Amino acid sequence: MPRHTPSHRALLVGGAAAALLASTLFAHSASAATDGGIVAPPDKIVIEVATVNGSGCRQGTAAVAVSPDNTAFTVTYSDYLAQVGVGAKPTDFRKNCQLNLIVHVPHGFTYAVASADYRGYARLQAGATAVQKASYYFQGSPDTASRTHPYTGPYDNNWQATDETDWGQLVWAPCGVKRNFNINTELRVSAGTSDPTKTNSFIAMDSTDGEIKTIYRLAWKECPA
């Protein structure tokens, strides 16, 4: 599987990347007549990855791309797994990834993350538990949106979690000011009442083919004149 190095790279969708993303991403657009929002601006947005830090997204194991219609972007992981028990290191029970993104938005518009889909696989022994958590905030802003999704063993299947925010509670990027956007995700596993000396429990933001695309959908609105 090819590796991608995301650090300090501006990513534009085009060619094969656009064809791939078009099959998995769909628009999150809002009507001005119904909820105060508008469809995405016609110009491309550019997402520059300032930093990618964390035990769940070591260099070369995460990449970011923007959908062709500017309404979503994805983060692809290839090595994001937390585990406890046989074969696990003491620090493996928790993995995280902090994405620091510079989003270049067309003039006169601002954006917010309206929803996010996370997918992966988990195998939890009876008595074990796991948590997937995500936090969203703009650099320098006191407003942080956080969502947590718990899982309980016995569990041996794919998992999917969706974070959704009502229009009135969206955290918008400041108009006319460039602020980095931060996404901090976390996977955590606890052995609970299971026996970690004989069993292994894990949760991965991953899939059977070794990678998964986390989808973030954007809402748009015009900035004041």
Side-chain angles (χ1 to χ4, degrees), residues 27-137:
H28 177 93
S29 61
S31 169
T34 57
D35 56 16
I38 57 177
V39 296
D43 297 333
K44 287 184 179 295
I45 62 172
V46 179
I47 295 182
E48 181 181 348
V49 182
T51 58
V52 179
N53 293 314
S55 52
C57 54
R58 294 173 295 105
Q59 184 173 0
T61 67
V64 181
V66 184
S67 69
D69 58 11
N70 297 342
T71 61
F73 63 92
T74 66
V75 182
T76 303
Y77 299 101
S78 62
D79 189 20
Y80 196 167
L81 180 145
Q83 62 176 331
V84 293
V86 177
K89 299 176 183 178
T91 57
D92 285 346
F93 78 98
R94 177 185 178 275
K95 293 296 177 69
N96 80 297
C97 183
Q98 171 100 9
L99 296 169
N100 186 272
L101 307 175
I102 304 172
V103 183
H104 301 274
V105 180
H107 180 72
F109 289 88
T110 185
Y111 74 98
V113 172
S115 67
D117 291 336
Y118 299 90
R119 295 182 179 87
Y121 192 89
R123 187 182 68 203
L124 305 173
Q125 303 294 330
T129 59
V131 169
Q132 183 269 326
K133 180 180 180 181
S135 300
Y136 314 90
Y137 61 97

Side-chain angles (χ1 to χ4, degrees), residues 7-220:
S7 300
H8 305 290
R9 179 184 299 174
L11 296 110
L12 286 170
V13 172
L20 173 64
L21 288 168
S23 65
T24 57
L25 299 176
F26 53 90
H28 177 93
S29 61
S31 169
T34 57
D35 56 16
I38 57 177
V39 296
D43 297 333
K44 287 184 179 295
I45 62 172
V46 179
I47 295 182
E48 181 181 348
V49 182
T51 58
V52 179
N53 293 314
S55 52
C57 54
R58 294 173 295 105
Q59 184 173 0
T61 67
V64 181
V66 184
S67 69
D69 58 11
N70 297 342
T71 61
F73 63 92
T74 66
V75 182
T76 303
Y77 299 101
S78 62
D79 189 20
Y80 196 167
L81 180 145
Q83 62 176 331
V84 293
V86 177
K89 299 176 183 178
T91 57
D92 285 346
F93 78 98
R94 177 185 178 275
K95 293 296 177 69
N96 80 297
C97 183
Q98 171 100 9
L99 296 169
N100 186 272
L101 307 175
I102 304 172
V103 183
H104 301 274
V105 180
H107 180 72
F109 289 88
T110 185
Y111 74 98
V113 172
S115 67
D117 291 336
Y118 299 90
R119 295 182 179 87
Y121 192 89
R123 187 182 68 203
L124 305 173
Q125 303 294 330
T129 59
V131 169
Q132 183 269 326
K133 180 180 180 181
S135 300
Y136 314 90
Y137 61 97
F138 290 96
Q139 185 177 26
S141 172
D143 297 324
T144 300
S146 298
R147 301 290 187 273
T148 301
H149 302 275
Y151 299 91
T152 302
Y155 189 99
D156 188 2
N157 207 340
N158 294 312
W159 61 267
Q160 178 175 344
T162 299
D163 297 343
E164 292 184 319
T165 305
D166 293 336
W167 183 267
Q169 297 177 326
L170 291 176
V171 179
W172 296 94
C175 285
V177 180
K178 288 187 177 181
R179 296 281 179 85
N180 288 14
F181 181 59
N182 294 277
I183 303 171
N184 191 13
T185 59
E186 175 183 328
L187 297 177
R188 185 187 295 263
V189 183
S190 173
T193 58
S194 67
D195 187 352
T197 65
K198 298 180 180 179
T199 62
N200 175 278
S201 294
F202 70 84
I203 182 171
M205 203 173 294
D206 205 344
S207 67
T208 54
D209 63 359
E211 64 180 25
I212 190 69
K213 292 177 177 63
T214 296
I215 303 172
Y216 298 90
R217 296 182 188 85
L218 304 179
W220 295 90

